[in-house]
Amino acid sequence: MKLALELAEEFKGKTNPNPLVGAVVVKNGEIVGKGAHQFAGGPHAEVYALEEAGEKANGATLYVTLEPCCHFGKTPPCTDRIIKAGIAKVVIATLDPNPLVAGKGIKQLQAAGIEVEIGMSEQEAKQQNEIFFYYIQTRKPFVIAKAAISLDGKIATASGDSKWISNAESRRKVHELRSQIDAVLIGKNTLLKDNPRLNVRLEKESEGPQKIVLLPNLELRLERNVELKRKSNLNVEPKQVAEQLSQMNVYKTSISKHLIIVCHESAASKQRIEEFQKYNIEIIPISGKTNGLNLEELLKKLGEREITNLLLEGGSGVYTSFLKAGLINKFHIFQAPIFIGNDGIPILQNLEVESMKYAFRMQDVKIEKLGDNVHWECNTVASTVPERSR
């Protein structure tokens, strides 16, 4: 099962919205077939493993990290293939939460006389597919917040300078993370101050994830030159905003996936939307609350597009809004041994936590040393701050 998990991990970020799955066929103590699901719509792990095993699959044991599917989708049911191959026993790490499977695959195997064992390396398998499990159960993307911070919790200096807080090793880790996700989201301030590319820069430079920008009023304070030298910060009309966006890095690196702008529904008039559509910029209107955009509604709309995970890359307003709404599932924090001072920009704004018992706590903490940086990976535990205090 350990090998099956390792095989599945090789394709992390490439199978969405499908899960990561690995499979190994063993006969008489020898591995005779192995495989992993490699991309959505492609053959499942069991198919690769059984094809490699060939006739040796008859009477063998199949180890698989997720319950085999039993329904027709883009591919035929794996249970039929397993039964036809003559597999004698199937060892499954964890059940598939997809309602189309959810124990039905096991019942089909058992009905065919195949012995089934469940639960080997179950926690490892669930952890490996935490994004898939969350998405399939909620139909919302699994939200990850990533930030580089100083020892005193700042993400930039008072002037907005943040290059570079983290070291080269941390930045490479960020690009590895980007390569595994569906979409990345930033706020207006990060767009203007950093003009980020949000693409993937590893051995080769690639487009990377879908880019999303929160722009509540479809307005920007932008200078009129392409180089963003901030000579004259002026409010401009939708036509000019769309034109300016088309000259920014997030637009230029949105090649196969159009840039998405999220705004308040009151700002999304037909005429305004048409100005952005001329540049193939997509607008998602969202209802608003007293404290801003309805982020829960946004996640549901992204889920409908089969965006299974979402990476937040700033700034502090974005992190704070999502955290207070209880919508961040995981943090990746890259901390550098520097101090910026009280006038720097903090990673979070006011959370209105009046007592330690209401603090936002992390769990499942993993710590990794990257040169002189420390990488914190942890899951979020929702705060119990009373509603009146939020």
Side-chain angles (χ1 to χ4, degrees):
M1 189 63 77
K2 182 180 179 182
L3 175 58
L5 288 165
E6 291 173 354
L7 291 168
E9 191 70 16
E10 291 179 18
F11 297 93
K12 189 173 183 178
K14 299 177 181 178
T15 65
N16 299 341
N18 291 354
L20 294 166
V21 185
V24 176
V25 180
V26 177
K27 188 170 186 179
N28 299 325
E30 177 189 358
I31 294 174
V32 296
K34 58 184 182 296
H37 183 43
Q38 300 179 17
F39 60 93
H44 289 188
E46 300 92 322
V47 173
Y48 283 115
L50 291 172
E51 283 184 349
E52 185 176 307
E55 293 181 358
K56 293 180 180 180
N58 187 36
T61 298
L62 171 67
Y63 292 83
V64 62
T65 59
L66 189 69
E67 178 183 5
C69 68
C70 55
H71 63 285
F72 281 90
K74 293 181 179 179
T75 60
C78 287
T79 49
D80 290 352
R81 187 66 179 266
I82 294 168
I83 294 167
K84 185 177 180 180
I87 288 290
K89 181 178 180 180
V90 178
V91 181
I92 301 168
T94 184
L95 299 181
D96 188 339
N98 187 338
L100 294 173
V101 187
K104 300 182 184 71
I106 290 172
K107 289 181 180 178
Q108 283 193 13
L109 296 174
Q110 291 174 328
I114 297 174
E115 181 184 353
V116 177
E117 180 183 330
I118 308 165
M120 180 181 288
S121 302
E122 182 176 12
Q123 290 308 310
E124 293 91 334
K126 286 182 175 179
Q127 179 66 31
Q128 185 176 70
N129 270 314
E130 62 179 352
I131 290 171
F132 170 75
F133 276 51
Y134 182 83
Y135 173 73
I136 207 71
Q137 292 168 339
T138 66
R139 290 296 169 181
K140 297 185 299 184
F142 185 93
V143 178
I144 303 165
K146 160 262 161 186
I149 66 171
S150 61
L151 284 179
D152 50 349
K154 310 301 182 189
I155 59 173
T157 65
S159 67
D161 181 24
S162 61
K163 294 184 179 179
W164 296 99
I165 290 178
S166 58
N167 64 19
E169 291 179 63
S170 291
R171 295 197 295 275
R172 179 179 176 81
K173 193 83 173 182
V174 169
H175 285 283
E176 290 175 355
L177 179 60
R178 275 190 201 159
S179 72
Q180 299 167 357
I181 64 163
D182 294 337
V184 57
L185 180 147
I186 60 172
K188 181 174 69 173
N189 290 337
T190 298
L191 175 71
L192 295 178
K193 291 175 181 176
D194 296 346
N195 190 24
R197 285 177 281 176
L198 302 179
N199 62 350
V200 174
R201 301 185 292 279
L202 294 169
E203 283 71 23
K204 294 182 180 180
E205 189 166 332
S206 62
E207 177 181 1
Q210 171 84 63
K211 282 83 174 168
I212 303 172
V213 179
L214 295 184
L215 205 61
N217 299 313
L218 290 182
E219 294 177 352
L220 287 174
R221 293 182 63 82
L222 277 173
E223 54 292 329
R224 296 187 183 279
N225 62 351
V226 180
E227 298 302 322
L228 302 177
K229 294 179 181 176
R230 296 176 174 79
K231 290 183 177 178
S232 56
N233 288 329
L234 300 172
N235 283 314
V236 291
E237 295 302 315
K239 181 178 180 179
Q240 284 75 41
V241 173
E243 182 180 355
Q244 291 280 5
L245 282 169
S246 73
Q247 298 171 24
M248 300 187 78
N249 287 332
V250 286
Y251 180 88
K252 293 176 182 178
T253 56
S254 298
I255 303 166
S256 65
K257 312 177 189 79
H258 294 165
L259 175 64
I260 291 177
I261 301 296
V262 179
C263 69
H264 196 287
E265 58 187 4
S266 63
S269 67
K270 181 180 179 182
Q271 183 179 2
R272 281 187 161 201
I273 290 175
E274 287 175 350
E275 291 294 343
F276 289 90
Q277 288 176 336
K278 291 177 183 177
Y279 292 90
N280 291 320
I281 297 173
E282 188 173 355
I283 301 296
I284 298 182
I286 299 295
S287 64
K289 295 182 177 181
T290 55
N291 60 344
L293 294 172
N294 187 332
L295 299 177
E296 179 82 26
E297 180 183 334
L298 170 60
L299 293 184
K300 288 179 180 178
K301 288 190 175 184
L302 295 180
E304 291 169 0
R305 296 162 180 256
E306 292 194 334
I307 291 177
T308 65
N309 50 33
L310 176 67
L311 182 65
L312 307 181
E313 290 215 31
S316 60
V318 169
Y319 299 139
T320 303
S321 297
F322 274 86
L323 185 60
K324 289 178 74 172
L327 298 176
I328 295 180
N329 301 96
K330 183 185 287 290
F331 273 93
H332 281 274
I333 302 294
F334 299 86
Q335 192 168 32
I338 60 174
F339 291 102
I340 292 176
N342 194 46
D343 59 342
I345 299 173
I347 182 174
L348 293 168
Q349 298 172 1
N350 188 6
L351 292 177
E352 301 176 12
V353 175
E354 298 176 359
S355 168
M356 286 302 296
K357 67 179 180 180
Y358 296 138
F360 290 78
R361 297 189 180 276
M362 304 294 110
Q363 64 181 5
D364 303 324
V365 178
K366 298 177 184 176
I367 301 174
E368 177 185 20
K369 197 170 184 296
L370 298 172
D372 64 353
N373 284 193
V374 176
H375 171 211
W376 299 77
E377 178 184 345
C378 44
N379 295 334
T380 310
V381 179
S383 169
T384 55
V385 175
E387 200 63 39
R388 65 180 182 276
S389 299
R390 294 189 179 183

